[in-house]
Amino acid sequence: MTTLTVPRGYYRFCGILLMLGGLMGAAGQLMHAPDTPESVAAIPEFLNLAVNMHVLLAWASTLILLGLSGLYLRQAAGLRFWGWLSLPLLFIGLMLEIFHGPVQILGYPIMYGNIQDEAALKIVNDGISHMAIDRFPLQLAVTAPILPCILLGFLLLAFSTLKARILPKGPAIFNLVVLVILILGMFIKAHFFEVSFSYIHLAIVYYGFTLFSSVSSSAATGQRAAARTTA
């Protein structure tokens, strides 16, 4: 049986990526713009916020996807099948989340850039709000899986982390609490719940910090043990 040796530095690197991606994602979710501008006068501010926010979120998801590899490799010895299943679920959910970003980053400036009156604004807003699923039903193949894949992926990640017993339990427990808040937010209208997607990114920050610190602490423990042996 071949044993894969992963450098400790790679785990630390992935931990940093998860922390950076999580912080960027939390910031992007907190500054989340409405889907469409309310008036012609609001278009310049809307475009500035929408474009910058989705650039931030696109990079956040990219860094998180890169960092997840270290999180799963670190726990590989203790993950069951359903633990590994959470990885493709999160990958699909985050990738599809990135896919819809170019609409705001590249498309919005084109669609809204030359609008001069409220009638033209209403036409564009209605088109964005209703999409065209009746004519292009495959749009659902990109939009529909995002939320189920992310929620189920994080649920399985939390339980598999607890079951693996390789990393501390803190981030997995926080992950589960965040999922409960997300579900409650679907039924309770309050600002605390409306920004609940930022809490998911904070859970990612927690995972990244735990990954980084656990590798550092295990390395320090190994060095102390080696020093005692040679003493």
Side-chain angles (χ1 to χ4, degrees), residues 157-179:
L157 172 61
F159 281 121
S160 61
T161 298
L162 292 172
K163 186 71 174 178
R165 298 182 179 180
I166 292 174
L167 294 176
K169 297 179 180 179
I173 294 173
F174 182 67
N175 182 350
L176 292 174
V177 171
V178 168
L179 290 177

Side-chain angles (χ1 to χ4, degrees), residues 65-78:
L65 284 173
L66 290 170
L68 284 177
S69 60
L71 183 63
Y72 281 86
L73 285 173
R74 182 72 176 87
Q75 304 184 87

Side-chain angles (χ1 to χ4, degrees), residues 72-218:
Y72 281 86
L73 285 173
R74 182 72 176 87
Q75 304 184 87
L79 290 180
R80 305 288 182 87
F81 166 77
W82 46 273
W84 287 107
L85 181 61
S86 65
L87 179 57
L89 286 172
L90 289 174
F91 184 89
I92 291 170
L94 291 170
M95 277 300 300
L96 294 180
E97 176 70 15
I98 294 172
F99 285 171
H100 97 282
V103 175
Q104 288 85 355
I105 297 169
L106 303 175
Y108 274 13
I110 297 172
M111 290 186 284
Y112 288 105
N114 296 313
I115 289 181
Q116 302 294 331
D117 58 80
E118 299 295 336
L121 176 63
K122 185 178 185 306
I123 292 173
V124 175
N125 282 352
D126 288 346
I128 291 174
S129 299
H130 300 101
M131 295 195 295
I133 295 174
D134 55 334
R135 290 185 294 149
F136 306 104
L138 279 180
Q139 288 179 339
L140 290 173
V142 173
T143 58
I146 294 175
L147 188 59
C149 283
I150 289 177
L151 291 182
L152 183 57
F154 273 111
L155 180 66
L156 293 177
L157 172 61
F159 281 121
S160 61
T161 298
L162 292 172
K163 186 71 174 178
R165 298 182 179 180
I166 292 174
L167 294 176
K169 297 179 180 179
I173 294 173
F174 182 67
N175 182 350
L176 292 174
V177 171
V178 168
L179 290 177
V180 172
I181 293 173
L182 260 174
I183 294 171
L184 290 176
M186 298 177 184
F187 306 99
I188 302 175
K189 300 301 180 183
H191 182 69
F192 176 79
F193 295 106
E194 289 174 358
V195 296
S196 54
F197 259 96
S198 65
Y199 309 149
I200 280 190
H201 287 91
L202 292 179
I204 293 169
V205 174
Y206 199 171
Y207 275 116
F209 175 77
T210 302
L211 176 62
F212 182 91
S213 59
S214 68
V215 173
S216 299
S217 61
S218 64

